[in-house]
Amino acid sequence: MHDKLSTTPLRHALRRSAAATLSALSVFSVFAVTAALASSAYAAAPTPMKPGVYEEVVRGNNGPLTVRVTLTADRIEAVAIGDNYETDYIALEPMKNVATEVVRRQRLDVDTVSGATESTTALLRAVFQAVTEAGGDLNDFLKAGAVDPATLPGKTVKADVVVVGGGGSGLTAALTAAKAGKKVLLIEKHETLGGSTALACCSLSKPSSLDTGDATPAGEALRKTEPQLLALLSELGVNFKNDNAGSLAVEGMVLVKKLEDAARAAGVEMLTSTALYKIERADGSDGAVTRVLAQDGATRYEVDAPAVVLATGGFAYDIERVISTMPRWTALTPFATAAKTSTGDGIRIAETAGAAVFEDAHVIAGGLGARYAELDRAVALSGGIPNGVLVNGRGVRFVNEAVPDLTEKAAMEDITWVIFDAADAKRAETFSKYLTFEVVVDATDWLTLARRMGVHAETLAQTMKTYNEGVA
């Protein structure tokens, strides 16, 4: 049940979301955070970069974070932390450690640090930006090795099923095949398993909430497989928590560990730090896959198998593919919450082998978030926004705010604002700190608020009028 939103003096408008009765209003834009998974590839030689010192400013946990990245033609020479608003005793040492690892290993898939995840992720994002700005190829700092696989000693492996990709999907596929009595080999290009699943708080739909009327192939598949997946995970002893009326939640790392342990116990052989670089198919009309080729920098693996499962995920950090398939998301790729190995190379290898790629690329929106952590704490988005109003960049309300998961809907909008009650003095005080950060605006009437939001004034006024009449 929505409370009526009044047109009495508005206080703040801020980029994000909120809930309460609106007598004095605030608005804030929401960022729909994208997510994707991972894959792998081989490149013969690194792409030359323009040498220099690149100063990048990214969004840290508490505000802008400046990072100076020194690059040569083929190396990340230094990563220095500049001006920032991070909490020293929490984030400074972890950021320094991550910077040291990037330079030492010449890799960008360095693990972030628990407890300082936002800060260390921001630092890595800055290095990503610097490499891209210098004309470099991110894959040069993400692949499993830069040697030519043809020069490596070969090893032939036989399996009934090969699974490429060790995230949640790959581990589930490997376990399922092993439970069916198959000899399974799993190949993962990163040194650890988990992919983006390990970074997530996984949410699964309850069977009772799946009858949404979605008649698409994806909707049908969800209704068929979700109960099966829940049964499998329950069998493994995964304990779920109710996060809202329609979902069950579990930490991603917990899920990965349960799946990994079960897969190893079922006899799945696993090769980590091993990158797929070619899929071979038989001659003839059916063109069946006969083997896959992978390498770990020391050994070339020639894996003969009649069945291959590609679970290499998506392409959050494949800028070229993002630009070509979903250009409106390009500017948000630095904010992706996918594993840093999500470079789309598994998809490219599959295309080279003649695989058909689903053309309607889809963004997995992992969550809604304001620009700064303090705003996130001031306004929670989980469980829907039953008393707030979400409008898009045109000033049009586009979703029922009471639904538990608003992310997918918000992800399809160019920008999202939330109108809320600024009568809450404590919350309003927090928002007032960010009036100069271009994420919060305020006004005393709908038309002025719309102008400051940058949306069509008459449209917003009509949206709010319609809303108020509907809840009267």
Side-chain angles (χ1 to χ4, degrees):
M1 181 70 180
H2 284 281
D3 292 316
K4 184 175 180 179
L5 307 182
S6 169
T7 56
T8 54
L10 310 177
R11 281 293 302 276
H12 296 41
L14 134 95
R15 294 188 173 189
R16 164 119 196 203
S17 140
T21 56
L22 296 182
S23 130
L25 291 184
S26 297
V27 184
F28 66 98
S29 292
V30 178
F31 289 109
V33 183
T34 60
L37 299 181
S39 50
S40 59
Y42 157 74
T47 302
M49 297 182 291
K50 182 179 179 180
V53 178
Y54 294 82
E55 186 170 288
E56 305 292 338
V57 180
V58 294
R59 177 171 59 94
N61 189 52
N62 297 325
L65 167 64
T66 301
V67 180
R68 285 183 290 277
V69 183
T70 303
L71 302 174
T72 65
D74 59 1
R75 282 183 56 82
I76 301 170
E77 198 66 26
V79 177
I81 302 164
D83 294 339
N84 66 88
Y85 295 85
E86 307 307 281
T87 306
D88 282 353
Y89 70 90
I90 294 176
L92 188 56
E93 284 305 314
M95 287 195 296
K96 287 180 178 178
N97 291 339
V98 168
T100 299
E101 282 298 292
V102 167
V103 175
R104 183 182 71 83
R105 297 173 54 199
Q106 292 297 296
R107 290 181 65 134
L108 293 176
D109 51 356
V110 173
D111 290 336
T112 55
V113 178
S114 178
T117 303
E118 293 292 334
S119 301
T120 50
T121 298
L123 183 138
L124 288 173
R125 191 162 59 236
V127 184
F128 268 66
Q129 291 179 192
V131 171
T132 302
E133 187 179 339
D137 185 346
L138 294 176
N139 288 315
D140 293 334
F141 300 97
L142 291 166
K143 58 179 179 270
V147 298
D148 182 351
T151 66
L152 299 174
K155 179 179 180 180
T156 301
V157 180
K158 295 185 180 295
D160 298 320
V161 179
V162 175
V163 177
V164 184
S169 297
L171 286 168
T172 302
L175 174 59
T176 301
K179 285 167 66 71
K182 304 299 181 182
K183 181 180 179 182
V184 182
L185 173 66
L186 183 145
I187 299 172
E188 164 58 43
K189 73 173 182 179
H190 197 263
E191 59 260 37
T192 59
L193 301 174
S196 293
T197 302
L199 304 178
C201 177
C202 298
S203 182
L204 300 175
S205 301
K206 294 179 180 178
S208 60
S209 69
L210 293 175
D211 189 15
T212 60
D214 183 357
T216 65
E220 292 295 334
L222 181 65
R223 279 189 286 275
K224 178 181 178 180
T225 61
E226 193 86 335
Q228 296 174 358
L229 178 59
L230 283 172
L232 171 63
L233 297 178
S234 296
E235 178 186 324
L236 299 182
V238 176
N239 295 316
F240 292 97
K241 296 180 180 179
N242 288 293
D243 63 353
N244 52 53
S247 298
L248 299 168
V250 62
E251 289 295 328
M253 278 303 301
V254 173
L255 191 61
V256 168
K257 188 66 168 62
K258 291 285 189 180
L259 288 168
E260 179 185 354
D261 289 348
R264 291 188 186 279
V268 175
E269 182 181 354
M270 301 183 186
L271 296 176
T272 56
S273 297
T274 302
L276 171 74
Y277 67 90
K278 188 176 182 181
I279 297 173
E280 294 187 348
R281 301 177 64 178
D283 296 332
S285 58
D286 63 348
V289 173
T290 56
R291 68 176 180 172
V292 300
L293 304 180
Q295 58 90 13
D296 62 4
T299 303
R300 181 182 73 255
Y301 296 95
E302 300 176 355
V303 186
D304 297 323
V308 178
V309 177
L310 284 180
T312 54
F315 53 92
Y317 298 104
D318 182 351
I319 303 300
E320 291 183 5
R321 189 178 291 271
V322 171
I323 292 172
S324 65
T325 58
M326 46 180 66
R328 62 184 293 264
W329 289 98
T330 304
L332 290 178
T333 53
F335 305 107
T337 55
K340 297 301 182 289
T341 48
S342 301
T343 53
D345 33 347
I347 298 173
R348 292 192 295 274
I349 293 168
E351 287 178 311
T352 301
V357 177
F358 187 61
E359 294 182 357
D360 186 13
H362 177 64
V363 172
I364 303 173
L368 303 178
R371 286 177 184 260
Y372 302 106
E374 187 176 17
L375 296 179
D376 266 343
R377 291 190 292 269
V379 183
L381 287 174
S382 60
I385 309 173
N387 295 300
V389 177
L390 280 168
V391 301
N392 58 26
R394 300 181 303 281
V396 176
R397 181 178 179 235
F398 60 88
V399 68
N400 175 4
E401 298 83 3
V403 300
D405 186 2
L406 303 169
T407 307
E408 292 292 329
K409 294 290 186 182
M412 301 310 296
E413 301 298 328
D414 54 349
I415 196 170
T416 302
W417 294 88
V418 181
I419 301 173
F420 63 93
D421 187 356
D424 183 329
K426 184 176 181 180
R427 179 183 290 161
E429 180 183 2
T430 299
F431 295 154
S432 66
K433 300 177 185 178
Y434 294 87
L435 286 171
T436 58
F437 282 80
E438 297 182 348
V439 292
V440 181
V441 296
D442 61 359
T444 58
D445 59 79
W446 297 119
L447 299 183
T448 304
L449 187 68
R451 186 181 73 249
R452 293 178 178 175
M453 291 165 59
V455 305
H456 192 275
E458 293 183 2
T459 300
L460 180 65
Q462 182 59 49
T463 294
M464 301 310 300
K465 180 176 183 292
T466 301
Y467 178 91
N468 282 333
E469 290 173 349
V471 298

